[in-house]
Amino acid sequence: MSGRVLVGVKRVIDYAVKIRVKPDNSGVVTDGVKHSMNPFCEIAVEEAVKLKEKKLIKEVVAVSCGPQQSQETIRTALAMGADRGIHVEVAGKDYETLGPLQVSKIMAALAKKEDAQLIILGKQAIDDDCNQTGQMTAALLDWPQGTFASEVSLDGDKVKVVREIDGGLETIKISTPAVLTADLRLNTPRYATLPNIMKAKKKKIANVKPADLGVDLTSRLEVLKVEEPPQRQAGVKVETVEDLVGKLKETGRI
Amino acid sequence: MMNVHRFIVLSRSFGVGKRLLAGRVRHVGREATLLQLRRSFKTHSRNLAFAKDLFLGQVNKAEVFPYPEIGNEELEEINQLVAPVERFFSEDVDSAKIDRDAKIPPETLNGLKELGLFGIMVPEEYGGLGLSNTMYARLAEIISLDGSIAVTLAAHQAIGLKGILIAGNEAQKQKYLPKLSSGEHIAAFCLTEPGSGSDAASIQTRATLSEDGKHYLLNGSKIWISNGGMADIMTVFARTEVDVDGEKKDKISAFIVERAFGGVTSGKPEDKLGIRGSNTCEVSFDNVPVPLENVIGEVGGGFKIAMNILNSGRFSMGSSSAGMIKKLIELTSEYAASRKQFNKSLSEFGMIQEKFAMMALNAFVMESMAYLTAGMMDKPGLPDCSLEAAMVKVFSSEGGWICVSEALQVLGGLGYTKNYPFERYVRDCRILPIFEGTNEILRMYIALTGMQYAGKVLTGKIKEMKKGNIVMAMGMVGKKLRTSLGGSVDLGLTGKDGVVHPSLADSAKKLEQNVSLFGSTVESLLYRYGKTIVDEQLILKRVADVLIHLYAMTAVLSRASRSISIGLRNHDHEVLLANTFCSEAFFKNNYWMVQLQKHSPENNDANIKKIAKEVLENRAYICSHPLERTY
């Protein structure tokens, strides 16, 4: 086994920022807005670095698909402990339509190229909430997948994954190579400390184009409109349970 | 010619002035001590940065235009470094709890250590981050969000270990800096004593050479020492006996003292109004043995080192105050937009709007000054920016105090409660005009350093004239005629080769006018008072205030010019801020300079002194009660 783990990291609008829709309803305002690494991707990086610290894997490679600024996100992963980075350059129109299908094709191609033992991704990105990239990547590679992982343990060439599902927790054992997606409770990501950020400057980030990987970026989706959620209406206070039932029947809820 | 005669008189009063200012520490007090200190820095040939030429009515454009820039790589690095620190402060720092418990929790301190914030400017080879002054100022913007943490970190690295950094030898650096950078050891700066605060040269702690001559025995006690209760390594200043040309003299030396040496005791933490999480206490030294190799620099050279240390850390108060005000603007504007009275939100009322404008203006000026100063300090050749740094400190401490108070005012009664952070910000900010050199002392330093420089230059010119340098004489006469005939001033800031962008031309003209008038004002003050100017605090206060505002105007014009030229986002707003500030500062400067003219009716100093004298003699308010009767 190569002992190499690929971790996907996505640059998204920072979770604390108040999102504003563009006046032409074509999307969300991103210019001049604070961006940072997707929180679930941070958890993915942390898990990979932990595995390396436990000496269960040998190398952590951080991958990001996007414009020039994606390099900042890769640098943060390097500062958290990843060994090297790969920046897949996607800019302009291609970036606007970049979605899970395209990214999963890229990840699959890279996994083959880099002979990866594991791919760890965040379960979903907080900007599109797709929750698809991990699953698609596994399907394209025909690898097993352990999604919504809240606990991961490596055992030889098998991985035991505890998954958070609607009914509770499900434990599965899958063989490597595999794709895992990180859920919230998997770990608490470390801070990229300033000394580590300085050290990370020396780590390498390779530049790759999607064409070099033989990936076609055309999107099958077209965004028609982006709108703000409807304004929340005021509630109505009722005196008795009968009133409540009556009102619910009135509005057709029951 | 009348003018030459005047200048000869001036030069004579200068000869006397120089001698007096030079020696006689005991007679003339601390201002002269500071001047004596400046002279021992070889101020006449040393590269004092920009501000000194303002005293001659000149703007040294090359020093401040264009606004200092950092490379793309450095900017990326700063932004990378800023992110985790911001996150740490917003998620893992509970300022309310720190203030309540008057203690920074160990987990928080550890987090700060791990982030690398204990050795920001220590070179990488000694375990630090090796960042520049500009980067330090940038980080200070975030660290200032919690006053107690800010002071703890500053006491540790801006002054505590700074002595080793700037004046220590290689062995000392290798021995102490690594553990100090990681935060394993914490540092403190021990200068102040019960009897010696502003008058730092009068400290009484003594270090006497031991019998075997291998170490010093340190005796004395220090007060108001930040980190005093937990510091492992202290920079202590004490009197030592030195041999000066066969005579035994008492001079101050700087020592690296380890708590582990024994004999060091810390008192109980002071119960303070603000920055309650920062540990401040008395530290006593009882026959503490300090090895000879722990003397920093030369024996007897301690005072110089102390002043260097203090001067080097001051500029960051500009960016830390700006960072805090920017945060306050966010918090306060949320409230002003949502709170409604008289069917309008607060943000629609003029008096509330004024407060926000004031906060924005202050933050803008402080930022501009801080990064201009940091940029100057980062230039090769290590120019001496102590004058500029002092100005940044005075402006930022007072501006910060006013802004924080007005922000609280916007929230009214709510702002007054502990449910909101405003009252804590107010309490934390009250220390700013006091520590790191009280603003009163710094104003004296600012005014006198500049006037000394101006005096020297003028004396030099007079000597030239006496030697028969006609060109010099004509030049001075010409200048006098021009200003007295009210001609317009052109210092090269505007026009074809001007360094200021055209949309700021009016403000630049105002600055030029102010600077020119300032130059003549300084000249006439020197002529009028000569050596006795050191005692005229109310005069010097105005001189300092004008200079501070001149520097501030220069900083905003330089910054805004650059923003327009490179097309930064919202540069129009910057132009608005710059022009507004310059217009206000122009008026204030003129008013102060009018008060500085001979027999100015706007100057109430004589009365003020009289009132003070009568009150202080009686140690009370002396008016009869308004209800009293005499019949």
Side-chain angles (χ1 to χ4, degrees), chain A residues 15 31-32 34 42 72 75-76 79 189-195 197-198 201-202, chain B residues 76-77 80-81 84-88 91-92 114-117 124 129 131 139 569:
Chain A
Y15 77 91
D31 256 345
K34 183 169 179 215
E42 281 179 356
E72 287 164 20
R75 292 235 171 267
T76 309
R190 64 195 64 189
Y191 281 108
T193 66
L194 306 198
I197 293 177
M198 312 279 288
K201 282 197 289 187
K202 303 194 184 86
Chain B
E76 255 181 52
E77 201 182 312
Q80 265 227 302
L81 297 173
V85 180
E86 265 179 352
R87 208 164 125 185
F88 183 76
E91 291 175 15
D92 286 321
E114 274 167 30
L115 275 173
L117 292 175
E124 284 182 78
L129 295 179
L131 299 183
L139 289 173
R569 236 158 41 94

Side-chain angles (χ1 to χ4, degrees), chain A residues 38-76:
Chain A
N38 180 39
F40 294 106
C41 298
E42 281 179 356
I43 300 175
V45 174
E46 175 66 23
E47 195 60 24
V49 173
K50 272 206 169 89
L51 287 173
K52 190 177 97 163
E53 283 170 351
K54 286 191 211 148
K55 300 215 199 302
L56 294 168
I57 56 141
K58 295 213 198 70
E59 193 188 22
V60 178
V61 183
V63 179
S64 191
C65 308
Q68 208 28 26
Q69 295 95 315
S70 296
Q71 292 201 9
E72 287 164 20
T73 316
I74 301 179
R75 292 235 171 267
T76 309

Side-chain angles (χ1 to χ4, degrees), chain B residues 593-624:
Chain B
M593 288 192 276
V594 154
Q595 287 181 318
L596 288 174
Q597 279 168 16
K598 203 163 180 183
H599 307 313
S600 162
E602 285 83 4
N603 185 322
N604 282 318
D605 287 358
N607 288 356
I608 289 175
K609 289 195 189 153
K610 196 147 183 271
I611 297 170
K613 181 163 178 281
E614 294 177 23
V615 167
L616 288 167
E617 262 168 13
N618 292 281
R619 303 200 191 175
Y621 176 68
I622 64 174
C623 300
S624 302

Side-chain angles (χ1 to χ4, degrees), chain B residues 93-215:
Chain B
V93 172
D94 187 350
S95 298
K97 185 166 196 295
I98 293 176
D99 179 67
R100 227 173 15 240
D101 300 343
K103 188 175 156 63
I104 302 175
E107 317 86 68
T108 312
L109 267 181
N110 274 335
L112 294 165
K113 289 178 190 174
E114 274 167 30
L115 275 173
L117 292 175
F118 273 70
I120 297 176
M121 285 182 71
V122 176
E124 284 182 78
E125 71 230 54
Y126 303 111
L129 295 179
L131 299 183
S132 62
N133 288 303
T134 306
M135 294 211 195
Y136 181 75
R138 181 63 186 92
L139 289 173
E141 278 191 46
I142 313 164
I143 299 173
S144 69
L145 292 175
D146 183 292
S148 303
I149 293 180
V151 169
T152 303
L153 288 177
H156 167 80
Q157 60 191 312
I159 52 176
L161 57 78
K162 208 40 117 53
I164 305 174
L165 198 53
I166 62 178
N169 59 37
E170 193 55 38
Q172 291 164 337
K173 288 182 189 176
Q174 299 269 6
K175 182 169 183 199
Y176 292 107
L177 289 180
K179 293 214 172 114
L180 288 168
S181 310
S182 68
E184 193 183 326
H185 285 164
I186 298 191
F189 181 82
C190 302
L191 174 63
T192 307
E193 293 174 9
S196 311
S198 288
D199 190 3
S202 67
I203 55 173
Q204 293 301 306
T205 301
R206 184 157 281 282
T208 40
L209 206 49
S210 64
E211 298 259 308
D212 62 7
K214 295 250 178 62
H215 48 262

